[in-house]
Amino acid sequence: MHTAVLVDIDGTITPPRQPIQAEMVQFLGRLTVPFHVAAGSHLALLQHQFFQPMFEHGFRGSFDAFVSNGAVHYHAEYARTPNLKLVSQFDLKAHLGEANYAFLIATLNQMLDSEEFQTHLPLQVAGERVVYRGSMVNCSPIGRPMQELEEAQRNRAMFVEFDLATGYRARVMAYLKEKLARLIAERGLTITLGGQTSFDIGVIGEDKTKAVRTVLADGAERVIFFGDALFDGGNDAAIRVMAENWPKDSAKQVEAIQVEGWLDTMARMRAMGFARE
């Protein structure tokens, strides 16, 4: 059976918001099965975190990359230079329409500015809090700097502790699902957790399941997804649900494996016999 692996990027093959490590790049180069990536972030953020370091650490080969929560598809060829070719993309603004998109952005900004959802000092806001990524909108209460230097990393760590202690993001999710209920019902809007600090707003089907469907259509008979956010509300959860509901008698198979970081991803792939040593 022709197997392909599909992997999340942030927190799965890289440390959270940090560049991919040389050890992981070399490991991906030793895989005995094709690999592809499905990421929540958009291309601009992933250039520094994944695409450029892959080339700099010596990877040469090809793979498909599904970014912006899986809804924008590139084919990557690494030879003398890294080359990314756009295959397809989905436009959230066009899908929602001007008025609905304006309502979505206004709702997010009102939430961020309300007293109920202030994060307060010593947490800092750096970078844009609401970012349009073509196929989706990312909303981060502490902002999303293009590159995370030491100060931003400390701020991220403080937010993670704050979120765990207060249930902040769970409260925001509940609020947004109530305020955006009409768009959820009428336009298939989805709201999921994005990494450790943010929320991804997209559309049903224009998510990481699109990557699975595409890899299967391209000839894979078995797709195994590795991700760190398969839990309810996580931006990998749609693939877990897809795998759980996949027809048992299908000639093709879909599996989803929860991992606890990039080292765990390597360990699990090794245990499955997917890498040359």
Side-chain angles (χ1 to χ4, degrees):
M1 178 171 281
H2 174 48
T3 297
V5 297
L6 181 66
V7 291
D8 172 50
I9 292 181
D10 191 55
T12 298
I13 58 171
T14 77
R17 287 303 311 276
Q18 296 301 302
I20 190 168
Q21 303 295 296
E23 182 181 356
M24 174 56 86
V25 175
Q26 292 158 12
F27 179 81
L28 292 174
R30 296 197 303 272
L31 289 179
T32 58
V33 295
F35 84 89
H36 309 285
V37 296
S41 294
H42 62 316
L43 185 62
L45 281 175
L46 291 169
Q47 288 285 13
H48 298 291
Q49 185 178 16
F50 174 72
F51 290 105
Q52 291 177 10
M54 282 282 285
F55 185 78
E56 291 164 1
H57 290 310
F59 179 83
R60 299 296 181 268
S62 64
F63 57 90
D64 285 305
F66 302 86
V67 304
S68 295
N69 211 26
V72 180
H73 178 192
Y74 289 91
H75 181 68
E77 290 277 356
Y78 282 60
R80 290 186 177 181
T81 60
N83 180 36
L84 296 178
K85 179 182 178 182
L86 179 64
V87 178
S88 66
Q89 61 184 334
F90 170 76
D91 191 310
L92 180 65
K93 284 183 181 179
H95 175 78
L96 292 180
E98 184 177 345
N100 283 332
Y101 181 77
F103 173 72
L104 167 63
I105 299 303
T107 301
L108 293 174
N109 285 324
Q110 288 166 8
M111 179 273 295
L112 291 169
D113 292 338
S114 69
E115 180 60 32
E116 180 182 359
F117 294 111
Q118 294 302 299
T119 53
H120 302 295
L121 295 172
L123 285 166
Q124 303 291 324
V125 175
E128 294 182 83
R129 295 187 296 175
V130 178
V131 179
Y132 173 62
R133 293 181 175 174
S135 65
M136 57 179 279
V137 168
N138 178 262
C139 174
S140 175
I142 58 171
R144 294 298 295 265
M146 291 298 293
Q147 288 184 281
E148 286 208 0
L149 302 178
E150 187 175 345
E151 183 177 352
Q153 292 171 23
R154 287 197 299 268
N155 198 50
R156 165 184 284 269
M158 283 193 295
F159 180 85
V160 171
E161 291 182 6
F162 166 77
D163 185 35
L164 288 172
T166 65
Y168 176 85
R169 288 200 299 171
R171 290 190 291 111
V172 170
M173 288 270 284
Y175 173 88
L176 290 177
K177 286 180 178 179
E178 178 184 349
K179 295 297 182 180
L180 298 172
R182 179 179 62 82
L183 294 184
I184 291 170
E186 295 177 1
R187 307 303 293 168
L189 204 71
T190 61
I191 306 166
T192 58
L193 298 177
Q196 294 179 308
T197 66
S198 63
F199 308 88
D200 292 332
I201 296 95
V203 170
I204 293 172
E206 296 296 337
D207 51 30
K208 293 183 182 181
T209 62
K210 188 173 186 177
V212 177
R213 296 193 302 271
T214 302
V215 174
L216 288 172
D218 286 345
E221 297 170 304
R222 179 191 186 201
V223 174
I224 304 175
F225 176 79
F226 295 83
D228 69 323
L230 288 162
F231 49 81
D232 288 345
N235 67 2
D236 298 329
I239 292 183
R240 188 206 76 223
V241 172
M242 182 187 207
E244 290 173 347
N245 291 284
W246 196 258
K248 302 299 182 185
D249 58 352
S250 174
K252 298 194 174 187
Q253 299 177 14
V254 177
E255 302 171 33
I257 297 176
Q258 172 76 33
V259 299
E260 304 304 324
W262 66 280
L263 292 171
D264 187 35
T265 300
M266 288 196 299
R268 288 174 179 269
M269 287 187 180
R270 281 196 187 99
M272 299 176 79
F274 290 161
R276 297 183 298 272
E277 295 302 332

